[in-house]
Amino acid sequence: MRLRIYITGVFIVVTGLSVWGGNGDTTLILKKTLRGGLSPKSVVHNGNGLFFAQNMMYNHTISVYDQHYNLRKTISDRVKLSEFGYADKNGSYRGAPVECAFSPDGKYAYVSNYFMEGEGYSNPGCDECYGKDFDESYIYKINTSSLAIESVFPAGSVPKYVSVTPDGKKLLVSNWSSGDISIIDLNTEKLIKKVNAGRFPRGISIDSESKYAYIAIMGSTIIKRLNLTDYSSEKFCDIGKGPRHLCIDSKDSVLYVSLNSDGDIAAIRIKDRAVRKLHIGGTPRSMTIGNDDRYLYVVNYSSAQITKVDLKSFSVVEKAETAKNPIGITYDERNNEVWVACYSGCLMVYEDLDQPETKYTLAEYFNFGPAVDDLFSGITRIFPDKTAASNPASGSENILKSSTTVALKTEKKKEAEAKEIKEVKTEKVIVSSGGNYFAITGSFKNEANAKRQVDNLKKKGYACEVIDNSNGFHYAAVGGFNSKEEATEALSTLKSKENLEAWVWQKK
């Protein structure tokens, strides 16, 4: 059931969903749950197959995994600051990793530390602390080849979100307690400027040309825009309670924000600041865009779920359960996987089996009439006069015409498609013995998705078939086997070789 309500020019969609989305189909499949020494506040992919999970003060570590779910290294947050040029800082110090951002080439990771523990640090900030008198903390620069901390440089008090400009020249840090943004020159690793932001700045998103940064001020209802040339800032939009995380699409046309207090996701058209909202509930926190701007994946902290939002229709299409307190999320475009950091002590990896066409005209992509502008048709502009003056192209750019085709596929996916198809092994990994016990690797409302899973497993040498159960679902089933023991043995193979979560089912 979908309810549409018009309020003061803002279009809100409320969906009542339980396990899967509006079309009843389940496409997010749990592939792996990683545990052991984890209390992750965030997880971030470097684009080259490495995932950094920041374990904050509960474990004082950064856990680095590869795309095959292997733990590559556990990096301690303990450092000797004197070894990094701080002669007056004797002894060892501990940080508390919060968030991570990578250089554009993925070679370096920049990790923020909530506060420092050690001699000289006796006045740390906190989540309720606000002011300029609290201790400053540090950013760690980590080489993603050696997985060693190469340098350390200061930010503000309780640095949280970090973001590297796409040109690789600057690092922006939102300092929660000191209420400002540190702008750091990555060539010299020196502070360029601190810009006042307001009470509790959090998320940062930077446009593709490294001209503007958008800052979510979580202790308010606003998003600020920071000019990265002259470092002036302005109130960009008054959006709602608790703006936390920001994502910008690849065309710099729409900014998405999670509203932690309101339970909403908002889409803001950048050229004129028109707003559209979608209620998803469950205190939405971190987000990531996947499938070439097609889907937005959001973690819901209080309801222990991922919400998958179709950005073509701007609607919820699926909700998947997670462990308690999901708080971080990242996307691996090479494997079409979503990694979720759960504060309760694990990383969960989901494969999204839905891989739609990724080439649209702008009209088709947003599915709202003759042009992308219609996504926001009938919505009052937030600052119409100011925006029209500052953005003269707002009503005239030809790129927004329906005849324009936008190729959304990234270069990495083009390269992947160009690779030769590997020869399929003929040796059978698991064969059927004709029995009634099966290892079920997925349950699907949509038969096509079940067939896709089956075809993938068949290519790898598994005896696999689609079985329809009595409740209208399609099982991707490996087997059958003559006994429950044989099916259980197959589960072990599927988990170890394919990283698939499965269960035993007996066909009646």
Side-chain angles (χ1 to χ4, degrees):
M1 179 179 179
R2 189 169 293 166
L3 176 66
R4 289 181 170 86
I5 307 173
Y6 291 87
I7 303 177
T8 63
V10 177
F11 179 64
I12 301 174
V13 179
V14 181
T15 54
L17 303 169
S18 53
V19 179
W20 51 84
N23 59 5
D25 191 18
T26 302
T27 60
L28 287 171
I29 305 301
L30 179 62
K31 289 189 69 177
K32 193 73 174 177
T33 300
L34 304 170
R35 300 183 186 277
L38 291 170
S39 59
K41 178 76 170 181
S42 63
V43 61
V44 188
H45 182 215
N46 78 335
N48 297 326
L50 285 182
F51 300 82
F52 276 48
Q54 286 59 242
N55 292 309
M56 216 170 152
M57 76 275 288
Y58 305 108
N59 290 79
H60 284 287
T61 58
I62 301 157
S63 300
V64 183
Y65 290 86
D66 63 26
Q67 62 184 340
H68 304 296
Y69 323 120
N70 299 310
L71 179 63
R72 294 281 296 276
K73 187 175 182 179
T74 300
I75 304 171
S76 171
D77 66 4
R78 188 180 293 278
V79 294
K80 291 185 177 180
L81 291 176
S82 58
E83 295 179 354
F84 294 98
Y86 304 96
D88 60 330
K89 306 292 185 184
N90 298 313
S92 66
Y93 296 82
R94 301 183 78 176
V98 184
E99 295 276 1
C100 173
F102 292 96
S103 57
D105 57 11
K107 291 183 179 179
Y108 294 99
Y110 299 92
V111 176
S112 59
N113 286 277
Y114 192 91
F115 52 56
M116 303 300 291
E117 295 178 356
E119 184 181 351
Y121 293 96
S122 58
N123 188 30
C126 64
D127 276 1
E128 291 77 36
C129 300
Y130 181 66
K132 303 292 184 182
D133 299 327
F134 300 101
D135 293 338
E136 287 189 336
S137 190
Y138 289 79
I139 305 298
Y140 293 172
K141 177 185 176 182
I142 301 172
N143 186 308
T144 59
S145 295
S146 65
L147 298 180
I149 299 172
E150 283 197 355
S151 64
V152 175
F153 45 87
S157 176
V158 186
K160 289 204 173 184
Y161 202 79
V162 283
S163 185
V164 178
T165 56
D167 62 13
K169 294 180 179 180
K170 298 167 186 172
L171 176 73
L172 273 65
V173 185
S174 60
N175 301 308
W176 179 268
S177 289
S178 54
D180 49 28
I181 305 298
S182 294
I183 305 169
I184 298 164
D185 185 323
L186 287 180
N187 183 41
T188 63
E189 296 178 0
K190 301 294 184 183
L191 179 70
I192 298 172
K193 189 177 181 65
K194 278 187 179 178
V195 178
N196 287 330
R199 194 176 184 87
F200 305 144
R202 190 53 166 89
I204 303 172
S205 192
I206 303 172
D207 68 19
S208 62
E209 295 184 355
S210 305
K211 289 184 177 180
Y212 293 102
Y214 299 87
I215 319 292
I217 313 301
M218 196 169 173
S220 72
T221 60
I222 69 170
I223 294 169
K224 285 193 172 182
R225 180 161 68 178
L226 174 61
N227 185 313
L228 294 178
T229 302
D230 62 14
Y231 306 117
S232 60
S233 64
E234 63 170 336
K235 183 169 75 171
F236 179 70
C237 192
D238 195 330
I239 193 63
K241 294 180 181 178
R244 185 184 188 274
H245 195 94
L246 299 171
C247 293
I248 193 169
D249 70 353
S250 63
K251 298 299 173 183
D252 297 334
S253 59
V254 182
L255 183 70
Y256 299 97
V257 54
S258 63
L259 298 172
N260 181 72
S261 301
D262 288 344
D264 292 341
I265 298 300
I268 308 166
R269 185 170 57 189
I270 290 174
K271 71 172 189 172
D272 64 358
R273 309 179 213 199
V275 174
R276 189 175 176 194
K277 288 186 178 180
L278 172 67
H279 186 73
I280 66 172
T283 54
R285 296 208 171 173
S286 298
M287 310 183 294
T288 187
I289 295 180
N291 260 309
D292 296 315
D293 287 356
R294 178 60 189 271
Y295 295 119
L296 185 72
Y297 304 93
V298 189
V299 288
N300 299 98
Y301 187 79
S302 62
S303 60
Q305 292 176 316
I306 310 169
T307 298
K308 177 181 172 183
V309 177
D310 187 339
L311 297 181
K312 182 179 178 182
S313 60
F314 202 56
S315 63
V316 174
V317 291
E318 186 172 354
K319 285 181 180 279
E321 293 181 359
T322 69
K324 187 179 179 181
N325 301 143
I327 194 164
I329 192 166
T330 194
Y331 179 71
D332 177 7
E333 66 179 11
R334 298 195 289 187
N335 295 314
N336 204 33
E337 290 179 348
V338 180
W339 288 56
V340 176
C342 297
Y343 223 175
S344 51
C346 66
L347 292 170
M348 304 180 78
V349 185
Y350 298 80
E351 181 181 4
D352 192 344
L353 297 179
D354 186 10
Q355 299 189 41
E357 280 295 323
T358 54
K359 187 174 183 179
Y360 298 95
T361 65
L362 282 170
E364 290 171 338
Y365 183 69
F366 286 96
N367 195 25
F368 276 89
V372 64
D373 292 353
D374 288 351
L375 175 65
F376 298 91
S377 62
I379 298 175
T380 304
R381 293 179 181 180
I382 305 302
F383 304 108
D385 295 334
K386 184 173 182 179
T387 303
S390 62
N391 192 351
S394 62
S396 60
E397 291 201 53
N398 290 331
I399 61 168
L400 294 178
K401 292 184 179 179
S402 59
S403 60
T404 303
T405 299
V406 180
L408 294 175
K409 290 183 178 179
T410 63
E411 288 302 316
K412 288 183 180 178
K413 284 199 173 182
K414 288 180 180 178
E415 290 172 7
E417 290 174 349
K419 288 182 180 179
E420 294 182 0
I421 300 174
K422 294 182 179 180
E423 182 179 349
V424 177
K425 294 181 180 180
T426 55
E427 180 184 356
K428 292 292 183 182
V429 178
I430 294 180
V431 297
S432 172
S433 53
N436 290 329
Y437 289 90
F438 294 84
I440 306 301
T441 66
S443 175
F444 306 87
K445 194 73 173 176
N446 187 319
E447 186 176 8
N449 288 328
K451 286 181 178 178
R452 187 183 297 122
Q453 176 97 319
V454 165
D455 289 342
N456 287 338
L457 288 171
K458 281 183 177 178
K459 288 176 183 178
K460 296 178 180 179
Y462 293 89
C464 194
E465 61 182 291
V466 175
I467 297 177
D468 296 341
N469 76 357
S470 58
N471 295 321
F473 288 90
H474 308 279
Y475 285 166
V478 174
F481 305 100
N482 289 322
S483 68
K484 184 176 181 180
E485 289 71 23
E486 288 181 15
T488 303
E489 186 177 341
L491 289 186
S492 255
T493 302
L494 290 164
K495 288 180 179 180
S496 62
K497 287 192 173 184
E498 307 303 332
N499 294 302
L500 285 173
E501 299 290 337
W503 68 93
V504 172
W505 175 73
Q506 181 180 11
K507 185 179 180 180
K508 302 298 183 182

